[in-house]
């Protein structure tokens, strides 16, 4: 029996197609995944992301604990509400999960982790916390989470939630959060568009969802969420990286804080060693030049017979072309041609820089709309 | 659930078949199939002149979600394909039984269509799945 979010009944009433995802019954779409995708790129859409796990860490020892637990450095967080994206690594440098860390107070940080990895993450965090001092772990299943995304997302959220929220979020910077009334509102997201992620008490979620809908925010499912995040060049845990791949092999080197050198985070030694030896694989973007659709696990053949594999692929509704992220040998360069095997045929593709799309516009010079 | 046209014949794998006046048959995928797959983004059709046998995979429809083979409900020779789908695969979602047809073929054995499901039979197939 899968878990259900506080918005499940509303989704059903709205005609959502429900699919199992990470142990939850979640909306895939409410009619057309592609229309929902465009709605987010052009106006405003919302996603029920209550399946993602929220975990609060309390205590005087939390900052020190996080310095060790994650590869990015929480000392970058000095202003209350500021958020940090990071990977949590095992000792081999493999990614246990990617997460967002919010700094609330010196004795209070909030983590948002993936639904499918929740139990694994919590077990790992609890295990590590045994050696830490003054760290208390509090999962927050009492909170729901709604992501409102799109160029009009913030304005429409303010219409729906009223003047207090409007005032509190007026100067909110990207990757920052603020607490106002029952809401914890962060200017974060997973689509490449501006917007908010709103944490709120479960029992308030249906009313807020309805208010957002009245304000013109379209319900969107996990289907659109996936095409939007892939266009935005954002990794998906379990597809683009996992326990056996490191951030350096996953386009996430930017999330690893090497300085200060004496911050001995879990996985650091493995990453340093890998960096010294040279990374042999990396994540690149692919644009299919022929007609077709790129999918995960399709084989990629690059110059000199170098072999790679697609980790995430889809049809990009914004570009009208198939795009993908692929793990390929490190020698492969942006601009290289490659071939993808699809149903026994070899189709031409090009290695490109990602993100593919940001703020509604193509980032690919060859596809400027 | 939406209506299943009575004048068509069906397969358990969610293709429909229309018998045309010239003796050819027109083939597409059902409303239920397009609904299961979601937004179509790519269609791969057979070449005109190809001979296909009954049950052979001869076309592919791809939605944002997944790729799915289309099987020939009856054997024969492909005489025409719906080339408009190349630039407008979403037509399959919008109008699966009319403008969303995939290909037409000349049946090798016209009697073969008699083995296909009628609308009531197909309705039971769909009901059993949901």
């Amino acid at each position: 029996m899968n878990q259900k979010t506080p918005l499940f009944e509303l989704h059903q009433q709205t005609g959502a197609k429900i699919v199992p995802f990470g142990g939850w019954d979640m909306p895939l779409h409410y009619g057309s995944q592609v229309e929902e995708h465009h709605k987010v790129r052009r106006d405003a859409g919302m996603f029920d992301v209550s399946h993602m796990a929220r975990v609060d860490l309390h205590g005087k020892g939390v900052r020190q604990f996080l310095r060790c637990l994650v590869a990015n450095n929480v000392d970058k967080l000095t202003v209350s509400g500021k958020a940090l994206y990071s990977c949590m690594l095992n000792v081999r440098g493999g990614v246990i999960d990617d997460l967002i860390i919010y700094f609330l107070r010196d004795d209070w940080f909030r983590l948002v982790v993936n639904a499918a990895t929740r139990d694994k993450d919590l077990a790992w965090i609890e295990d590590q916390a045994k050696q830490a001092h003054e760290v208390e772990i509090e999962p927050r299943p009492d909170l729901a989470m709604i992501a409102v995304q799109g160029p009009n997302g913030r304005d429409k959220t303010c219409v729906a939630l009223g003047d207090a929220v409007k005032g509190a979020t007026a100067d909110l910077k990207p990757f920052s959060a603020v607490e106002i009334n029952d809401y914890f509102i962060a200017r974060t997201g997973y689509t490449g568009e501006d917007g908010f992620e709103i944490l709120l008490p479960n029992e308030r979620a249906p009313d807020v969802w309805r208010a957002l809908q009245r304000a013109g925010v379209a319900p969107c499912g996990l289907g659109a969420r996936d095409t939007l995040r892939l266009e935005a060049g954002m990794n998906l845990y379990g597809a683009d990286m996992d326990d056996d791949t490191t951030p350096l092999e996953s386009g996430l080197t930017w999330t690893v804080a090497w300085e200060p050198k004496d911050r001995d985070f879990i996985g650091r030694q493995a990453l340093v060693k890998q960096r010294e030896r040279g990374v042999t694989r990396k994540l690149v973007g692919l644009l299919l030049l022929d007609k077709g659709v790129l999918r995960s696990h399709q084989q990629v053949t690059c110059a000199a017979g170098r072999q790679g594999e697609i980790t995430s692929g889809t049809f990009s509704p914004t570009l009208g072309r198939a795009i993908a992220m692929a793990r390929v040998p490190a020698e492969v360069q942006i601009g290289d041609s490659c071939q993808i095997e699809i149903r026994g045929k070899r189709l031409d593709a090009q290695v490109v820089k990602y993100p593919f799309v940001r703020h509604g516009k193509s980032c690919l010079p060859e596809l400027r709309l | 659930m939406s209506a299943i046209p009575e004048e068509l014949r069906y397969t358990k794998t969610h293709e429909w078949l229309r018998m045309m006046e010239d003796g050819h048959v027109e083939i597409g995928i059902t409303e239920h199939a397009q609904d299961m797959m979601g937004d179509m983004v790519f269609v791969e059709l057979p070449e005109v002149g190809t001979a296909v046998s009954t049950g052979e995979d001869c076309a592919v429809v791809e939605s944002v979600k997944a790729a799915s083979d289309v099987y020939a409900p009856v054997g024969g020779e492909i005489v025409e394909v719906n080339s408009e789908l190349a630039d407008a695969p979403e037509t399959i979602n919008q109008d699966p039984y009319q403008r969303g047809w995939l290909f037409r073929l000349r049946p090798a054995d016209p009697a073969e269509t008699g083995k296909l499901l009628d609308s009531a039979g197909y309705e039971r197939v769909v009901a059993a799945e949901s």
Side-chain angles (χ1 to χ4, degrees), chain A residues 17-161:
Chain A
K17 184 177 210 66
I18 303 288
V19 292
F21 182 85
W24 294 75
D25 279 334
M26 297 299 292
L28 180 66
H29 61 70
Y30 300 80
S32 166
Q33 171 177 339
V34 170
E35 274 171 35
E36 290 162 23
H37 179 107
H38 290 317
K39 190 80 178 170
V40 171
R41 286 274 177 255
R42 295 165 187 169
D43 181 9
M46 61 181 161
F47 305 84
D48 177 7
V49 285
S50 307
H51 61 307
M52 297 192 75
R54 293 149 298 280
V55 182
D56 283 354
L57 300 182
H58 299 281
K60 282 184 192 148
V62 171
R63 189 184 284 273
Q64 181 52 35
F65 175 63
L66 287 171
R67 279 185 191 123
C68 180
L69 186 74
V70 300
N72 211 336
N73 189 356
V74 288
D75 286 334
K76 292 174 184 171
L77 302 174
T78 53
V79 180
S80 175
K82 193 71 186 140
L84 184 74
Y85 173 75
S86 183
C87 291
M88 181 165 74
L89 307 179
N90 56 36
V91 288
R92 294 176 290 119
V95 184
I96 294 171
D97 200 8
D98 63 337
L99 62 161
I100 290 188
I101 302 165
Y102 296 96
F103 166 58
L104 294 160
R105 287 199 315 250
D106 270 327
D107 59 352
W108 181 17
F109 286 71
R110 173 167 286 170
L111 315 182
V112 177
V113 307
N114 283 301
T117 50
R118 178 197 180 272
D119 294 348
K120 177 182 80 164
D121 293 357
L122 265 180
W124 175 262
I125 293 169
E126 277 163 7
D127 207 33
Q128 300 307 315
K130 282 178 194 159
Q131 294 138 44
H133 300 286
E134 295 194 70
V135 176
E136 198 184 309
I137 300 162
E138 184 198 12
R140 297 297 304 267
D142 56 311
L143 296 178
M145 189 161 162
I146 300 171
V148 183
Q149 302 278 292
N152 299 325
R154 290 196 298 141
D155 285 348
K156 289 188 172 179
T157 301
C158 293
V159 169
L161 300 187

Side-chain angles (χ1 to χ4, degrees), chain A residues 17 28-29 32-35 227 291-293 295 314-315 343 345, chain B residues 35-36 38-39 41-42 44 60 62-67 86-87:
Chain A
K17 184 177 210 66
L28 180 66
H29 61 70
S32 166
Q33 171 177 339
V34 170
E35 274 171 35
T227 51
K291 283 204 173 203
V293 185
R295 308 274 183 197
T314 192
F315 178 83
R343 292 187 290 274
K345 284 184 211 158
Chain B
D35 184 56
M36 294 297 289
D39 295 292
V41 292
F42 178 65
E44 196 176 295
V60 178
E62 287 204 49
S63 69
V64 202
K65 207 162 76 181
D87 293 318

